Amino acid sequence: MTKAKRLRALPSVDIVLRDEKVLALRDIHTLAQITLWVRAAVQECREHILQHSEAFDAPLTDWIIDRVLGQSKADHGQRLQTVINATGVVLHTNLGRSPMSDQAIAAAVRASCYTNVELNLESGRRSKRGERLMTLLAQLTGAEDALVVNNCAAATVLVLQAIAAGREVIVSRGQLVEIGGGFRLPDVFRAAGVTLREVGTTNRTYLRDYEDAVNESTGAVIRVHRSNFHLSGFVTEPTIDELVQMERPESVAVIDDLGSGSMIDLSPYGLQEPNVLDSIQSGVDLSLFSGDKLFGGPQSGILVGKKQWIETLRRSPIMRAMRVDKLTLAALEATTEIHLAGNALTELPTLRMITTSAEVVRKRCESLLKQIQHQAAVEIAACESQVGGGSIPGSILPSYGLRITGYPPHHVAHQMRNGECAIQTRVTDESVMVDLRTVADHEVTDLAKGINAALENTQPSANTEIAPE
Ligand SMILES: *Cc1c(COP(=O)(O)O)cnc(C)c1O
């Protein structure tokens, strides 16, 4: 066929839109969206014809329809939807970090209607946004006052900018971290208009290094938690208590960037993480931490500390650009109430998952295994979960999961991600690991269905004998 002939054989957009399979897409997409995909596919086809002499394998119309169906599928997968987290990484950044408690979810749903976010119902007057939450956070942490912004990165920028713009902020060379996603401390300092004053060395920084660096242009001293890596060996740095006690002018604030915001001593579970209460008790001016790491709430950055400094932050013009919405306020209020009631370990999913014993996880595996059809392909196996989320470097939680072997693992994992319920697993070249530490009991049935469907839709690996059931 000549090029001209093949071009004439191109179907019109209308013809493709009338195809049965394309018509069926109308249930999930708008006509406008489908038309855009069809136009683009026809155009792509036209360009291919113009540029290449060889024809497509499939007839033109079929090729275009396949292309459109592929777009529909990809678009559908991009929609925000619930994912069953079978990775064993509790704070999984790609899966939205901390899942919220039932109470926080209900509070956020209630707040989606008209709410008294800036109205005092008793007096009928305008009230300060989030006033009750700030009181609860102060009560919980023992701080004088509190403030909430969109995330801990925003909290860092706000603090540096409002307290030390145009001045120097002292930080140890051992703490100049990149948190991830390109969030590097030196860049943040620059963006906030603050001069970075590095002291000490990568492995050893002494109190006197800080003391020697203080001068008339010092605005603050900041300690940054090394969330995602360990320093060990010939290492030293002053404690936060020592930094607070350090001789310095009153105008020099001591700031503690805690990162994960643990409210509870998790050392019985093998996790060493700085504690918010200890930080406040040391007398720091401000502590900052994420709301969606070990605090177990919605994405947010929480600042607690001395009233005078929180007031300075509250008055900063950039505060208005960082304030959280009413859904976050509501969810955080419910989360804070759970901490205050002393129920964090049982009612916050994140802490529940971290503190669940391996034995309980193994029992969950047994109830999952009973619902699996291709028994020969799965076995209960010991594995290691992680806390993740840039908190607690290298902290490993002994766990159990189902190991799927004898099927091409990447194909099985793909099927599980794109089945009726999206399921994210841990996949290697040999097997798919379904870690049940991060799966809730109520998700086990859907998880079993997903595994069954994925194995149903996958050919066993060629060189593996699957025993007949
Ligand atoms: C995670 C982390 C941040 C960033 O927190 P976000 O809430 O993700 O913005 C900042 N500092 C430290 C030490 C952290 O661990």
Side-chain angles (χ1 to χ4, degrees):
M1 240 199 278
T2 63
K3 265 189 189 173
K5 240 182 169 173
R6 280 162 60 211
L7 280 176
R8 256 180 276 128
L10 265 177
S12 72
V13 170
D14 277 339
I15 298 254
V16 180
L17 283 174
R18 264 180 265 141
D19 174 87
E20 220 171 85
K21 281 186 266 177
V22 176
L23 277 175
L25 297 179
R26 299 282 293 275
D27 292 344
I28 34 177
H29 305 287
T30 62
L31 176 61
Q33 176 66 75
I34 300 167
T35 308
L36 278 179
W37 287 330
V38 173
R39 261 200 209 114
V42 171
Q43 181 58 21
E44 207 181 326
C45 208
R46 176 175 295 121
E47 275 163 23
H48 185 96
I49 294 170
L50 289 171
Q51 283 164 16
H52 301 85
S53 44
E54 75 276 16
F56 284 108
D57 296 340
L60 296 182
T61 309
D62 289 355
W63 186 90
I64 290 167
I65 290 168
D66 266 2
R67 195 83 186 153
V68 172
L69 297 181
Q71 292 280 10
S72 153
K73 214 169 171 184
D75 177 75
H76 201 62
Q78 276 184 308
R79 270 191 193 164
L80 284 182
Q81 54 195 286
T82 306
V83 177
I84 295 178
N85 177 7
T87 64
V89 180
V90 180
L91 296 171
H92 198 303
T93 301
N94 301 159
L95 299 179
R97 283 207 191 136
S98 189
M100 294 202 299
S101 62
D102 294 341
Q103 294 92 317
I105 293 168
V109 169
R110 280 196 301 273
S112 351
C113 306
Y114 286 127
T115 59
N116 54 338
V117 65
E118 286 184 23
L119 175 70
N120 182 321
L121 292 174
E122 214 260 321
S123 69
R125 296 226 176 87
R126 182 173 174 179
S127 69
K128 271 195 253 162
R129 181 174 262 264
E131 200 168 12
R132 178 167 185 268
L133 171 60
M134 301 317 143
T135 308
L136 294 181
L137 283 169
Q139 219 176 312
L140 175 66
T141 59
E144 291 173 10
D145 204 353
L147 194 62
V148 174
V149 292
N150 279 313
N151 49 40
C152 192
T156 312
V157 173
L158 175 65
V159 162
L160 292 174
Q161 211 275 340
I163 289 186
R167 291 157 77 198
E168 289 181 4
V169 174
I170 304 173
V171 59
S172 160
R173 288 196 169 87
Q175 297 171 3
L176 283 175
V177 297
E178 171 172 327
I179 300 297
F183 183 75
R184 293 173 143 194
L185 219 50
D187 299 335
V188 175
F189 274 62
R190 206 168 304 120
V194 167
T195 305
L196 171 62
R197 181 69 192 263
E198 301 172 39
V199 294
T201 60
T202 305
N203 59 332
R204 291 177 85 83
T205 304
Y206 304 96
L207 190 60
R208 65 164 190 273
D209 294 326
Y210 287 90
E211 285 169 341
D212 290 349
V214 175
N215 62 54
E216 60 283 357
S217 53
T218 305
V221 174
I222 189 166
R223 176 183 81 156
V224 183
H225 178 51
R226 279 185 291 274
S227 289
N228 43 17
F229 71 104
H230 261 314
L231 268 184
S232 60
F234 190 53
V235 170
T236 187
E237 62 187 20
T239 64
I240 191 70
D241 293 84
E242 287 170 326
L243 285 180
V244 171
Q245 300 302 325
M246 179 180 101
E247 210 155 306
R248 63 192 153 98
E250 233 173 71
S251 62
V252 175
V254 175
I255 299 158
D256 196 8
D257 180 358
L258 294 163
S260 69
S262 179
M263 296 298 310
I264 291 164
D265 178 15
L266 292 170
S267 57
Y269 306 92
L271 311 178
Q272 303 295 335
E273 197 56 6
N275 191 288
V276 180
L277 302 174
D278 294 343
S279 176
I280 290 297
Q281 222 149 55
S282 75
V284 288
D285 293 298
L286 289 167
S287 301
L288 16 154
F289 54 94
S290 295
D292 57 351
K293 291 181 181 171
L294 292 176
F295 197 75
Q299 180 193 304
S300 48
I302 301 170
L303 302 114
V304 288
K306 302 261 168 74
K307 198 162 205 75
Q308 158 214 353
W309 294 111
I310 295 280
E311 268 311 319
T312 305
L313 302 182
R314 208 171 262 141
R315 282 195 306 266
S316 158
I318 61 170
M319 174 57 209
R320 179 62 177 76
M322 292 180 171
R323 78 173 193 194
V324 293
D325 72 316
K326 58 184 180 168
L327 306 192
T328 303
L329 285 174
L332 202 52
E333 189 173 275
T335 308
T336 308
E337 283 175 337
I338 290 174
H339 279 291
L340 275 168
N343 296 333
L345 291 185
T346 50
E347 292 182 7
L348 296 176
T350 294
L351 291 171
R352 202 165 52 215
M353 287 188 273
I354 290 173
T355 58
T356 296
S357 72
E359 199 42 41
V360 168
V361 180
R362 202 178 58 79
K363 294 231 166 72
R364 199 175 290 149
C365 290
E366 283 166 7
S367 87
L368 171 62
L369 186 62
K370 285 197 197 109
Q371 301 175 53
I372 301 297
Q373 278 147 16
H374 297 66
Q375 289 279 331
V378 295
E379 60 181 340
I380 296 177
C383 63
E384 288 177 338
S385 310
Q386 282 176 44
V387 175
S391 63
I392 322 178
S395 54
I396 296 295
L397 307 164
S399 184
Y400 282 97
L402 284 201
R403 183 161 40 224
I404 304 173
T405 48
Y407 286 77
H410 293 282
H411 191 273
V412 172
H414 181 269
Q415 289 287 321
M416 287 179 70
R417 278 199 309 278
N418 294 283
E420 206 165 305
C421 272
I423 302 163
Q424 178 75 341
T425 56
R426 221 157 58 217
V427 54
T428 67
D429 286 340
E430 288 80 42
S431 65
V432 173
M433 193 69 204
V434 181
D435 188 331
L436 289 215
R437 175 172 293 282
T438 45
V439 174
D441 285 326
H442 69 84
E443 292 172 322
V444 168
T445 303
D446 281 335
L447 178 55
K449 278 189 201 152
I451 296 174
N452 287 333
L455 295 182
E456 201 57 46
N457 292 325
T458 307
Q459 290 293 325
S461 302
N463 55 357
T464 316
E465 285 285 307
I466 301 273
E469 278 159 38

